[in-house]
Amino acid sequence: MSNATRRKIMNFLVDGDRTVEEIGAAAGKAMLDFHLKLLQQAGLIELKEETAGLTEYGRNFLKGKEEKNQGKSADILQAKPVEITEVRQLLPCIADSSKFRIIANMAPPLGGVLKVLEPIFSRGRYSDGIGALIIQQNEVITTIYGTGKVTMTMIKSEEEAGDRLEKLKSTLNDAIAKGVAPAPREKVRVEPMEIYKYLPQTNCGKCSEQSCYTFAIKLMGGEVTLDKCTPLKEPGYATNFEHLQVLSAYI
């Protein structure tokens, strides 16, 4: 059920049996026979000549999913296309004075639907604590708050910010237009050197490890946590800490 076409087929059959032709028109004809056979083998649908319908197991399966995700489904169906209403440039980034931190406003606010949209970003992580979706793209971290506020760090210019915000708006609106929660993504592989890149690299030993690289390896192994690196709590490492929070979600 991680496949979008198979989810469409199942939802399309909720109201009753349909012909294969009708299913193809609604869910797409590409590899339709393959998808139908997989659903049949899983016991979710029953195929009779050129007609398909949900089995009792299939109906119970959908009912269970609906009860588990009822809030999520409602949110994405009610979400409206967003627009960037304001962009302003703030002081240079603490971590790199040659780059900027940008604040923008997005309307209407997406609220809890951000949690549902997390899978559309290869390195996105929804934080329940701040009610925001945090996205990492190379050195740039974008944070979209449920209130509509959007921040970007490590931006070279306001022009770059405008381009990134436009792409962000398009990505979000494409997902909203589909009205279906994205399938869970595969976990992105994180290498120790990528973790090390954002650590202080001072080998200060305050974490009780021999070096920052050793700390990176143990962090990946779950033997230590980010809060053990006390220098990361200093203002100068604020952006580094943000990056490491995102990366640690994929370890």
Side-chain angles (χ1 to χ4, degrees), residues 139-156:
E139 290 189 338
V140 177
I141 285 184
T142 302
T143 305
I144 313 170
Y145 294 87
T147 59
K149 176 184 174 183
V150 181
T151 65
M152 285 187 175
T153 60
M154 301 295 281
I155 294 294
K156 296 176 183 177

Side-chain angles (χ1 to χ4, degrees), residues 79-97:
K80 297 179 180 179
V82 297
E83 290 290 342
I84 306 300
T85 59
E86 179 187 356
V87 180
R88 60 191 178 94
Q89 186 168 295
L90 296 184
L91 295 173
C93 283
I94 296 174
D96 187 340
S97 59

Side-chain angles (χ1 to χ4, degrees), residues 17-23 32-33 36 46-53:
D17 294 0
R18 302 283 186 172
T19 65
V20 173
E21 185 177 351
E22 289 174 323
I23 295 171
L32 181 60
D33 289 342
L36 290 173
E46 185 177 10
L47 287 173
K48 293 180 180 179
E49 297 180 353
E50 290 299 307
T51 304

Side-chain angles (χ1 to χ4, degrees), residues 198-249:
Y198 294 106
L199 290 173
Q201 300 180 26
T202 56
N203 301 326
C204 65
K206 293 180 181 179
C207 62
S208 301
E209 301 301 334
Q210 292 183 347
S211 66
C212 289
Y213 191 71
T214 303
F215 181 86
I217 293 173
K218 290 197 173 184
L219 183 66
M220 290 196 63
E223 299 177 56
V224 297
T225 55
L226 275 179
D227 62 333
K228 294 294 184 181
C229 180
T230 53
L232 284 175
K233 299 175 184 178
E234 299 172 7
Y237 291 110
T239 301
N240 295 54
F241 185 64
E242 281 186 286
H243 279 282
L244 287 167
Q245 280 184 308
V246 176
L247 290 173
S248 64

Side-chain angles (χ1 to χ4, degrees), residues 123-143:
R123 279 195 174 163
R125 177 181 64 86
Y126 184 81
S127 169
D128 287 301
I130 62 174
L133 177 59
I134 305 168
I135 307 158
Q136 182 187 26
Q137 295 169 306
N138 298 321
E139 290 189 338
V140 177
I141 285 184
T142 302
T143 305

